Amino acid sequence: MTWTFELQDGVTFHDGTPFDAEAVCYNFERWADQNEVGQSPAMAYYYGNDFGFGEDSLYESCEAVDDLTAEVTVSRVTGKFPMVLSQSSYAIQSPTALEEYNANDVQAEGDAFVFPEYDEHPTGTGPFKFESYDNAGGTVTLTRNEDYWGEPAGVAELVFKIVPDENARRQELQAGTIHGYDLPNPVDWQGLEDDGNQVLIRDPFNVLYLGLNPIADPQLADPLVRQALYHAINREQLVSSQLPEGATVATQFMPDTVSGYDGSLEAYEYDVEKAQQLLEEAGKSDLEIDLWYPTEVTRPYLPDPQRVYDAVKSDWEAAGITVNPISKPWAGGYIDGAQTSQAPAYFLGWTGDLNSADNFLCAFFCGDENAFGTSEYDWHDELQESLTAADAEPDEDTRTGMYEELNAQIMSEDWLPGLPISHSPPAIVVAENVDGLVPSPLTAEDFSTVTISE
């Protein structure tokens, strides 16, 4: 439970502060010491899942043994530490800047948040430095860090431009006003390549699922209803018609590239007649349900939310189910509503952060207030105990077997808290003159390797 980290020598933060063991421990202590607002899932989703706050926190202490040696102690055995530190959420930041700009002073103002000045001064050690954020123009500008300890960035300036509309992104690339954009619609892949662009396809490391929550709709507490909703979806057709080439039908809540995937599980059969029989047996032949889908968003696992919604709605209606559409902007009520048990049925997904079953299953099902409302089921405590036990198993092979069994149990007819739909290979598209970009299954590309040819 004690981990010793030997730090890279000769590294400085963008503000000149030395990167050393004291800085590392300062960051660990800062993450754990958030105010009440800062501990909310909206502010600290990853830390809450990976470490947790208060007496039950995975984090126990950090000690600077010497300038380049940090010793981190966790409170219990876990299979996910130290792998979780590979996530960008745990990038080490300058203690000088964090203090100067009062980084921990996040405040709630109604349903919104007021952020400290540090939001305008993020200060790390990477190959690019933060230059500016133009809220009106929707651009974030980074510049090359000339003092970077490693290989210098291939371009002097990197600009991220927020372009919400899919067609507008494609048109800007065609006009040459941008060098690339993320998550091109699969229907555009061939046309983009025909125009001379490079469509770089990532390995699938995600899952799209249909969440079901009995807190939002008590009808969903009946496993027969949940089974019926699943059997009524023609996932083979949905995947082949609405998702990119290479997408596969999901049998569980993680892709087969994650340790703990149960290869023996088979996909639930598409069977409209069986769905209708199950609803009749449950006394819900006239089932009516609200189905949420997001707008103003493209996700790696959900390239076109409207079309996926339309496909599921059509399938459910064919089984005699009445579907009420509820659409909300992704950042305008959709995510918050889904995560706070307001949505009976909703589309969400997950792109993995690391090869860890816990990174998928705990993100979905850990805690009494998870987005699937599993606290309403009599097997909720067993689920929590199984998640905790698997994560706490130090032997990797044994832990993998425990997760395989847990995946099978989650997908059993008695449990089935949601409906995993598919795993998709998302893409990123860049112009012909962009070199050196390596597609990442995590959708976390390193742009420092990029060069632009004339």
Side-chain angles (χ1 to χ4, degrees):
M1 294 188 292
T2 299
W3 297 81
T4 301
F5 295 89
E6 300 295 337
L7 310 183
Q8 178 71 39
D9 194 8
V11 179
T12 59
F13 291 98
H14 299 153
D15 61 358
T17 301
F19 168 79
D20 56 20
E22 291 287 353
V24 169
C25 288
Y26 182 97
N27 277 259
F28 271 92
E29 289 295 318
R30 175 195 171 241
W31 299 331
D33 186 29
Q34 295 292 311
N35 61 23
E36 184 177 355
V37 176
Q39 293 183 27
S40 69
M43 293 295 99
Y45 182 80
Y46 282 98
Y47 192 86
N49 277 346
D50 295 336
F51 290 91
F53 294 97
E55 295 181 358
D56 295 329
S57 175
L58 175 62
Y59 171 69
E60 185 167 298
S61 65
C62 179
E63 178 185 356
V65 177
D66 57 41
D67 283 352
L68 295 177
T69 308
E71 189 175 88
V72 178
T73 302
V74 294
S75 62
R76 58 184 179 273
V77 175
T78 174
K80 62 188 174 187
F81 192 89
M83 287 190 295
V84 292
L85 299 180
S86 66
Q87 300 173 78
S88 58
S89 300
Y90 304 113
I92 302 298
Q93 301 170 73
S94 166
T96 303
L98 290 168
E99 287 187 1
E100 181 178 353
Y101 301 111
N102 205 13
N104 277 23
D105 188 28
V106 179
Q107 301 294 329
E109 193 172 88
D111 293 333
F113 299 94
V114 178
F115 296 98
E117 193 180 356
Y118 184 74
D119 258 27
E120 301 173 8
H121 302 274
T123 309
T125 61
F128 290 103
K129 300 190 297 184
F130 177 79
E131 179 69 22
S132 64
Y133 169 46
D134 178 1
N135 188 25
T139 59
V140 177
T141 301
L142 310 181
T143 56
R144 181 192 288 133
N145 177 14
E146 301 295 351
D147 297 320
Y148 183 57
W149 64 272
E151 191 72 24
V155 293
E157 186 176 73
L158 177 63
V159 180
F160 293 96
K161 184 176 182 180
I162 301 167
V163 184
D165 182 71
E166 165 78 18
N167 290 327
R169 291 195 289 272
R170 187 177 68 252
Q171 290 166 3
E172 288 218 28
L173 179 63
Q174 292 170 337
T177 54
I178 60 175
H179 288 101
Y181 65 92
D182 203 1
L183 306 178
N185 194 315
V187 300
D188 294 330
W189 287 7
Q190 187 60 55
L192 287 165
E193 289 188 334
D194 291 345
D195 288 342
N197 301 295
Q198 305 171 68
V199 177
L200 307 177
I201 301 174
R202 297 139 163 158
D203 292 333
F205 194 58
N206 57 40
V207 62
L208 166 66
Y209 61 82
L210 179 73
L212 301 174
N213 193 312
I215 297 174
D217 187 344
Q219 298 179 104
L220 297 171
D222 189 335
L224 297 179
V225 173
R226 301 196 301 278
Q227 292 171 39
L229 290 171
Y230 209 179
H231 283 299
I233 299 176
N234 188 343
R235 289 183 301 148
E236 289 284 356
Q237 184 179 75
L238 188 156
V239 169
S240 64
S241 63
Q242 307 301 334
L243 296 172
E245 183 179 350
T248 57
V249 172
T251 64
Q252 54 209 280
F253 280 91
M254 63 172 66
D256 61 5
T257 42
V258 178
S259 299
Y261 178 90
D262 185 347
S264 68
L265 291 179
E266 296 183 0
Y268 268 60
E269 183 183 10
Y270 169 55
D271 190 331
V272 176
E273 184 175 334
K274 184 172 184 178
Q276 292 170 328
Q277 291 173 348
L278 288 166
L279 290 174
E280 183 177 351
E281 185 178 345
K284 296 294 181 182
S285 296
D286 58 349
L287 181 68
E288 181 176 344
I289 190 168
D290 293 346
L291 177 57
W292 287 37
Y293 67 96
T295 61
E296 301 178 16
V297 71
T298 299
R299 303 301 293 165
Y301 45 80
L302 188 59
D304 192 331
Q306 175 75 58
R307 293 181 64 181
V308 170
Y309 163 81
D310 289 341
V312 172
K313 177 177 181 289
S314 177
D315 286 344
W316 279 358
E317 289 178 339
I321 300 165
T322 299
V323 179
N324 301 320
I326 305 291
S327 62
K328 293 178 181 288
W330 179 262
Y334 187 83
I335 286 294
D336 290 345
Q339 292 180 343
T340 55
S341 297
Q342 298 176 39
Y346 59 91
F347 297 102
L348 263 183
W350 185 260
T351 297
D353 303 296
L354 59 157
N355 182 9
S356 163
D358 181 86
N359 183 245
F360 282 82
L361 298 185
C362 192
F364 303 148
F365 304 120
C366 274
D368 292 339
E369 298 181 358
N370 61 61
F372 291 82
T374 61
S375 59
E376 295 295 295
Y377 302 128
D378 57 11
W379 43 263
H380 170 75
D381 289 344
E382 182 182 348
L383 170 64
Q384 300 306 310
E385 290 168 2
S386 297
L387 289 165
T388 300
D391 178 56
E393 172 54 53
D395 181 78
E396 184 175 355
D397 290 341
T398 303
R399 185 170 64 246
T400 296
M402 293 171 73
Y403 278 120
E404 290 174 354
E405 293 177 4
L406 182 53
N407 272 313
Q409 183 63 64
I410 289 171
M411 293 305 299
S412 68
E413 291 184 343
D414 290 337
W415 285 26
L416 196 65
L419 316 177
I421 295 175
S422 60
H423 310 293
S424 299
I428 184 170
V429 57
V430 292
E432 188 176 15
N433 64 339
V434 174
D435 298 312
L437 182 62
V438 179
S440 163
L442 309 180
T443 66
E445 280 72 26
D446 176 6
F447 290 95
S448 71
T449 61
V450 169
T451 58
I452 307 292
S453 57
E454 296 298 332

